[in-house]
Amino acid sequence: MKQIEEVTSLVGLTFRRSRYNSDFVPDWNNIDLGHLENGNYGKRLPMLLRAMRIIIANREKLSDVDFVIARNLDLMSLALAARALGIFRAPIVYDVFDVRNILLTESASAKAMRAAEKIALKRSALLVVSSPGFVEDYFTPYLKYEGPTLFLENKVDLNILPEDDAIRAAWRSKERARSGPVNGAFTMGWVGALRCRRSAEMIAEIAQKLPWLTVQISGKSTYCAPDVFAKQFEGIANINYTGEYWFPTGLYDVYRTIDLNWDYDLSKPNKSGGWLLPNRLHEGGYFGVPHLAEEGSQTGHYVKRLGIGWTRPANVTAIVDLLSEVRDSYAPVKQRCLELMDSRFHYQDDILEIFEKAARL
C-alpha cells in the first residue's frame, strides 16, 4: 500500500437518494450507481445488479486503487464483488453509520442479511463505526464480531465549505456561537433530517404546554411530505418551521438562533435509534449549543460525559419539567459548550486514523 501522504486522488461510487440534498453534485471523480429507493428491500437486488454492471463498465477507473472504504452493506457487497471479479485488489474497510431495523428481526431475510454481513466482515480489513453503540448493541451480540474496530465520529467537515474567505472566517470565529438567550427569550431547535414522527408529536405537545418557549424547526421532513409535516404545527404560535436550508452553509444561520438542541431520535420502533450519534450532536456542538437528549441513549451518554446538556426519558412530562427549570441552570452548561466547540466537534485529520489503523493491521 502507498504511504498515506501519497494518496492524492479519490474515486467515488455513490447512489442517489431523494430524501434530502438531492441536488448535490459531487466535486470528486464520481461514478453514479443510479437511484436507490429508501427502505424498498424487495427492489434492492435488481438495483445492486445494475450498479454492478456500471462498476464493471468503469473498471479502468478502479484498477489501481490502493484503498476502498465501503459505507453500508449495499456498497460493501458491491466492493467485495468487484474485488472478487479482479477489478481491484485493495483492502476494504467497512464503514457503518446506521443499523437497519430489518437486521434486528428473526425473519428469514434478516438472518440471510446478517449471514452476508458476517461474511463481509471476515473479508474486510477494518470495521469503522460512527457510534460505539453499533458494536456494543449489534455487531458483538448479533454477529459475534471480535475483529478490529475504529470509532470515528461523524463530525463537522470544514473542508466542504465554499472557497469563500468570509464564510470560512465566520465559521472559524468564536462569534459563530450564540452567547445565550436574547432578552430573556429561550429557543429550542430541531435541526437537520426530520425523520422522527414521535419527536414532531412531542414537540407540538411541549410547545403548547410551555407558551414562553419558542421552538424553531429547520430542515426537511423525511417521513412525510413537507406540507403534511408543517400542517401538524398549525395554530401553535410558538413553533416556527423554517423549512429546508442549504447545506452546509445554512447550518451557520440556523444554530445562531437557538439556545437548546433537540437530539432525540425515536424514529425506530426498537432500540437502534438510541445506538447512533446524530449529526445534530456534532453540528450543534460546533456552534456551542447545549443539548437535550434521551436518557440511556448513546447521545445521552455522550452529552452527560462531556457535560454539554441535559438528558431525560422520551416522556413529555419529564421534558416539560426540565424545560420549566432549564434557564436557571443554563449558564454553566452553555459555558462548557463554548469551551469545547473549537476542539471536539470538527474533523482535524481524524480520517487518517482509518488509513493508519488499516495499514497497521
Side-chain angles (χ1 to χ4, degrees):
M1 183 187 297
K2 293 180 181 180
Q3 294 298 311
I4 293 170
E5 60 268 18
E6 296 175 4
V7 180
T8 58
S9 61
L10 169 68
V11 178
L13 296 94
T14 61
F15 286 105
R16 284 177 285 106
R17 295 175 182 262
S18 56
R19 287 187 297 181
Y20 43 86
N21 293 323
S22 54
D23 295 331
F24 175 74
V25 178
D27 57 1
W28 55 81
N29 183 3
N30 192 64
I31 298 173
D32 188 341
L33 299 179
H35 186 269
L36 190 66
E37 294 187 34
N38 298 315
N40 196 333
Y41 297 104
K43 294 183 178 180
R44 192 63 57 94
L45 184 57
M47 293 176 186
L48 293 178
L49 291 174
R50 286 197 297 273
M52 196 67 235
R53 288 197 291 270
I54 294 171
I55 292 173
I56 293 172
N58 288 272
R59 63 190 305 151
E60 290 184 3
K61 295 182 179 181
L62 303 171
S63 60
D64 61 350
V65 298
D66 298 284
F67 201 80
V68 174
I69 300 176
R71 226 179 189 204
N72 73 39
L73 186 56
D74 294 328
L75 292 170
M76 184 65 180
S77 301
L78 291 172
L80 288 170
R83 189 170 66 178
L85 291 172
I87 293 175
F88 62 81
R89 299 180 62 186
I92 303 172
V93 168
Y94 185 27
D95 184 14
V96 175
F97 58 95
D98 196 8
V99 175
R100 302 169 183 168
N101 277 334
I102 191 173
L103 291 168
L104 307 178
T105 69
E106 292 304 313
S107 67
S109 58
K111 290 178 179 178
M113 290 177 71
R114 289 200 296 268
E117 195 165 31
K118 289 182 75 170
I119 294 171
L121 284 166
K122 290 179 181 178
R123 288 161 172 74
S124 65
L126 176 67
L127 170 65
V128 177
V129 294
S130 59
S131 169
F134 298 146
V135 176
E136 296 169 7
D137 297 300
Y138 175 66
F139 286 104
T140 297
Y142 281 82
L143 302 184
K144 312 302 179 188
Y145 178 70
E146 298 179 347
T149 303
L150 175 65
F151 168 43
L152 188 68
E153 296 177 49
N154 194 17
K155 298 180 183 180
V156 173
D157 186 358
L158 299 178
N159 291 320
I160 67 174
L161 291 172
E163 295 289 343
D164 183 301
D165 291 342
I167 291 176
R168 294 195 167 213
W171 275 66
R172 292 279 187 182
S173 170
K174 295 281 188 183
E175 300 304 313
R176 71 179 184 272
R178 182 180 174 95
S179 60
V182 177
N183 298 325
F186 194 89
T187 301
M188 181 174 74
W190 183 24
V191 182
L194 310 174
R195 66 180 187 176
C196 180
R197 186 187 304 273
R198 178 60 182 144
S199 282
E201 295 168 350
M202 292 173 67
I203 286 172
E205 190 175 346
I206 290 166
Q208 292 175 85
K209 290 179 180 293
L210 300 174
W212 58 266
L213 175 72
T214 298
V215 178
Q216 178 177 302
I217 302 175
S218 301
K220 182 178 180 180
S221 168
T222 63
Y223 69 84
C224 65
D227 57 334
V228 176
F229 180 79
K231 192 173 183 62
Q232 62 192 315
F233 306 118
E234 288 182 357
I236 307 176
N238 54 332
I239 291 184
N240 178 28
Y241 175 46
T242 63
E244 193 172 6
Y245 52 85
W246 187 257
F247 181 86
T249 51
L251 291 171
Y252 183 92
D253 298 317
V254 169
Y255 278 108
R256 282 176 56 83
T257 63
I258 66 175
D259 302 299
L260 186 65
N261 207 15
W262 177 274
D263 285 355
Y264 287 78
D265 189 334
L266 310 168
S267 59
K268 297 184 178 182
N270 48 50
K271 296 181 180 179
S272 63
W275 301 346
L276 56 80
L277 295 177
N279 288 354
R280 60 178 62 93
L281 172 65
H282 298 93
E283 292 166 354
Y286 183 72
F287 287 94
V289 180
H291 302 267
L292 176 58
E294 184 183 8
E295 181 79 29
S297 68
Q298 283 293 329
T299 307
H301 296 328
Y302 191 107
V303 167
K304 268 189 173 181
R305 186 173 66 253
L306 294 183
I308 56 174
W310 297 264
T311 64
R312 288 295 185 274
N315 174 279
V316 168
T317 300
I319 295 171
V320 166
D321 288 345
L322 168 69
L323 292 175
S324 298
E325 303 174 352
V326 74
R327 289 172 291 183
D328 297 332
S329 58
Y330 185 80
V333 177
K334 176 66 175 182
Q335 182 58 36
R336 174 66 173 164
C337 293
L338 295 176
E339 291 169 357
L340 292 179
M341 70 179 192
D342 284 327
S343 61
R344 192 68 187 79
F345 301 103
H346 71 284
Y347 285 123
Q348 301 179 67
D349 294 329
D350 305 58
I351 194 71
L352 294 180
E353 294 181 44
I354 296 180
F355 301 96
E356 290 167 353
K357 185 161 186 174
R360 288 196 303 269
L361 293 169

